[in-house]
Amino acid sequence: MATFLYRLGRLAFRRRHFVALIWVALLTLAGVGAASAPAAGNSSFSIPGTEAQKAFDLLEQRFPGMSADGATARVVFKAPDGEKMTDAAHKATVEKTVKELSDGSEVASVADPYEGNAVSKDGSIAYASVSYKVSGMELEDSSRDALETAADEARDAGLTVEIGGDALQTTPETGATEIIGIAIAAVVLVITFGSLLAAGLPLLTAIVGVGIGVSTIAALAAALDLGSTTSTLASMIGLAVGIDYALFIVSRYRAELAEGRSREDAAGRAVGTAGSAVVFAGLTVVIALVGLSVVNIPMLTKMGVAAAGTVVIAVLIALTMIPALLGFAGRRVRPAGEKSKLLGGGRAKSAAKAAKPNMGTRWASFVVRRPVAVLLLGVLGLGAAAVPAASLELGLPDDGAQPTSTTQRKAYDLLSEGFGPGFNGPLLIVVDAKGSDDAKAAFTEVGDEIKGLKDVVTVTPAAPNKAGDTATITVIPDSKPSSASTEELVHAIRDKGSEIKASTDTEVLVTGSTAMNIDVSQKLNDALIPYLILVVGLAFLLLIVVFRSILVPLKAALGFLLSVMAALGAVVAVFQWGWLSGLMGVEETGPVMSMMPIFMVGVVFGLAMDYEVFLVTRMREAYVHGEKPSQAVVTGFRHGARVVTAAAVIMMAVFAGFIGSSESMIKMIGFGLAIAVFFDAFIVRMAIVPAVLALLGKRAWWLPKWLDRALPNVDVEGEGLRTRSDAGDEDRELVRA
């Protein structure tokens, strides 16, 4: 592989005008496609194989026009102190508001509080339920504006009015955070390279890659039902890996120049060596992202595949566009160790300073001398950070997790005050009595059975459809939606439903947003182990091919599990226990988002393997070329530690920018990914990995002979390049090709 990529790098360097033209054309084509594509709504949300989804599908069949999965809003009214919502003036205001809300084109129905018994016992609080024909993410802005305008008019009449429900759900804006990440990345690159031009190349290529990827997603969004969250994840991952991959190749190019090679040969060797690492690092990220399909949640599958496509683009750009741009830059990209004149270059260094080992060399030498102490300290530190993960509670955020300043949270609190905490998470029971001899009796029996369960406050009478074979029953729990008691109630109703089905052929299904959240959490939890086995297993096999070793890939996988557990522990400590919550802007603690563990495993594993491949490949290269194992570790750090550090800081900056989001889910993802990269890059890869390799010595690179013969030789370390006589031979081969 190294030889093939060497040829590709030199060809791209030599034919740079043609290569640049191809990428500009692709960017233009993707942009035109995105601009001319039909506007796409947000991706439809379905969870195949869950009871909640089965109930939604049944409702669409038996209750046509009900819009079971449509958006809902609760407009909550509170009378001034000493007054009641039943007072004539307040009643007139509410009825006027209900009438205004009913006029919307997307509104399916509006329930009058006074007709639907939606006034609290003390008369101080009432609410109007608004149902829409489309989901919250598909709702037009005009419908949201009408909702807020009606609330403002009621406020002007002297009432406290707040709005809850998913009708106000919007896609979080992340543009500013991406700009912050790019700005920090630019500073880190300038410090790393000591050159504005060299620093600008990774930024330029990453932006081009993300532009092509996101524009392609936008062009295909309507046809493939891709939501806006798909492009958000693709841009976040694409930007991070795009900068990192280009960073490694530019850094290796400058190192080759420092060894006295010609610029064309240096570009070829940079792509042949660092480019090989980029290919396999990119493959691990792609495996991790595409592997999300095992969860069988269509939205998650589309997000993973789209992000994986952006990673593939980032790899191709790093292998072709980077050497082309290096050709355009010429002598303005200097050899390693030289700075541009603008940043203080050109001054002569003293011999002592030039011979002084860099920080990576000094750190690796220390680790090689004290491997046991470093290993124990690293493992114990990560183990301590992982302790809170034992108390992990999973759930999906509701309005109760919103900041206290939002109208959704205020509406949630008012409803809890007036009607009890369980009122914010009603359970919708769908009773399918098509196979029963007496449907009405079956409906009554189901309601009576549910009333006898623990933690039930209210059970509404069954509301049958026109055919009389299916009915809905609303159950109000005694506990808040995200509590363990509510989850136990859902399971209790389902257990009772199994008993009823066995005796009467009546099927009882539990759905609604609360039940859907519980089902999603369970589905994600059940998929975590299979996903881990698939992703880690495939990557383990891939790393055996790359490193031609059994123990190095095993150590890489175990180190990754350590860093992920430590990161989950940190997430629990901040978002569930409330440690440092003020610093992180966490206003409300609660269960960790159920998607977090599997999402972190997927994204962090791919990125962690990046650092493993880039750092250990350099060690492997030194070992193959004759160095002792301990010296190979030091050599790998001398050439790779500075670049890996810069890559990790850039990655952390991109992810940490999302901590400032007002959305608790985005904030949690940003913090979790940033802290995971910190643990993996600086503790696992920079401390535990060299300590383990130093302890293993030659055994680290052991591979059974039969397996060595069976595996393909991909030559990541570029051994084949050392056998080349000179650049002239290669030039002739390129011409013949």
Side-chain angles (χ1 to χ4, degrees), residues 554-630:
L554 180 61
K555 172 263 309 168
L558 293 176
F560 155 73
L561 292 176
L562 260 180
S563 59
V564 166
M565 290 303 297
L568 276 176
V571 169
V572 170
V574 173
F575 292 89
Q576 190 175 308
W577 292 359
W579 293 5
L580 301 177
S581 57
L583 181 63
M584 296 295 168
V586 179
E587 296 188 21
E588 187 71 24
T589 59
V592 172
M593 184 180 64
S594 53
M595 196 181 293
M596 198 68 193
I598 202 163
F599 187 78
M600 283 183 62
V601 167
V603 176
V604 176
F605 181 78
L607 301 180
M609 292 305 102
D610 281 0
Y611 306 130
E612 178 75 15
V613 170
F614 289 128
L615 195 59
V616 181
T617 297
R618 203 66 191 257
M619 298 178 191
R620 166 78 182 173
E621 183 179 339
Y623 176 75
V624 168
H625 293 156
E627 293 188 7
K628 294 181 179 179
S630 59

Side-chain angles (χ1 to χ4, degrees), residues 264-432:
E264 184 176 330
D265 189 44
R269 288 178 178 273
V271 175
T273 51
S276 297
V278 164
V279 169
F280 284 99
L283 276 175
T284 60
V285 180
V286 169
I287 288 172
L289 291 171
V290 173
L292 289 171
S293 58
V294 302
V295 184
N296 195 26
I297 296 179
M299 182 186 71
L300 199 58
T301 300
K302 292 173 185 176
M303 288 171 63
V305 172
T310 308
V311 171
V312 171
I313 293 172
V315 171
L316 294 176
I317 282 183
L319 298 179
T320 57
M321 191 173 181
I322 281 292
L325 292 178
L326 290 172
F328 285 118
R331 297 183 179 277
R332 285 168 292 183
V333 175
R334 298 170 177 270
E338 292 187 20
K339 295 183 178 181
S340 65
K341 292 182 179 179
L342 183 63
L343 296 173
R347 293 193 295 267
K349 293 183 180 180
S350 65
K353 188 172 182 179
K356 184 179 179 181
N358 61 20
M359 180 66 76
T361 302
R362 295 197 298 273
W363 169 250
S365 300
F366 170 77
V367 174
V368 168
R369 290 196 306 270
R370 301 284 188 273
V372 176
V374 172
L375 178 61
L376 287 176
L377 191 60
V379 171
L380 290 176
L382 290 177
V387 168
S391 303
L392 177 67
E393 295 177 10
L394 298 176
L396 288 177
D398 54 23
D399 284 348
Q402 295 276 359
T404 53
S405 58
T406 62
T407 186
Q408 296 99 316
R409 174 59 186 277
K410 291 176 181 177
Y412 181 97
D413 292 339
L414 284 176
L415 288 171
S416 296
E417 176 189 338
F419 303 93
F423 198 78
N424 284 292
L427 305 176
L428 183 63
I429 314 300
V430 182
V431 185
D432 181 6

Side-chain angles (χ1 to χ4, degrees), residues 656-708:
F658 291 84
I659 297 176
S661 172
S662 61
E663 291 287 331
S664 60
M665 181 176 70
I666 300 297
K667 185 189 295 288
M668 190 181 296
I669 290 174
F671 173 80
L673 294 181
I675 197 70
V677 169
F678 172 78
F679 285 148
D680 198 89
F682 293 105
I683 298 180
V684 173
R685 308 304 155 193
M686 292 288 188
I688 293 178
V689 165
V692 170
L693 290 177
L695 288 171
L696 291 175
K698 290 184 178 180
R699 289 168 294 180
W701 309 108
W702 171 79
L703 187 69
K705 291 183 178 179
W706 65 267
L707 185 57
D708 187 38

Side-chain angles (χ1 to χ4, degrees), residues 2-39:
T3 303
F4 169 76
L5 292 178
Y6 172 78
R7 295 174 178 175
L8 179 64
R10 293 194 65 176
L11 185 63
F13 185 96
R14 184 179 302 161
R15 302 285 185 262
R16 47 188 172 272
H17 294 89
F18 181 67
V19 171
L21 183 62
I22 289 176
W23 285 112
V24 170
L26 288 174
L27 179 61
T28 304
L29 184 63
V32 171
S36 58

Side-chain angles (χ1 to χ4, degrees), residues 58-100:
L58 184 63
L59 284 172
E60 289 184 359
Q61 295 174 13
R62 307 284 176 84
F63 292 83
M66 182 180 177
S67 300
D69 60 348
T72 59
R74 280 176 170 173
V75 183
V76 188
F77 306 89
K78 184 176 182 180
D81 293 341
E83 300 180 21
K84 295 183 180 297
M85 289 304 305
T86 51
D87 294 347
H90 299 326
K91 189 173 182 180
T93 300
V94 172
E95 289 175 344
K96 180 184 177 183
T97 303
V98 169
K99 186 177 182 303
E100 290 178 356

Side-chain angles (χ1 to χ4, degrees), residues 427 429 431 441-462 472-478 489 492-494 496-497 500 508:
L427 305 176
I429 314 300
V431 185
F443 299 154
T444 303
E445 180 184 354
V446 171
D448 292 341
E449 292 285 350
I450 293 175
K451 286 178 183 177
L453 295 176
K454 182 183 176 183
D455 206 39
V456 173
V457 174
T458 305
V459 178
T460 64
T472 60
I473 298 173
T474 301
V475 177
I476 306 298
D478 188 41
L489 175 60
I493 295 174
R494 288 173 173 170
K496 188 65 68 176
I500 293 172
V508 179

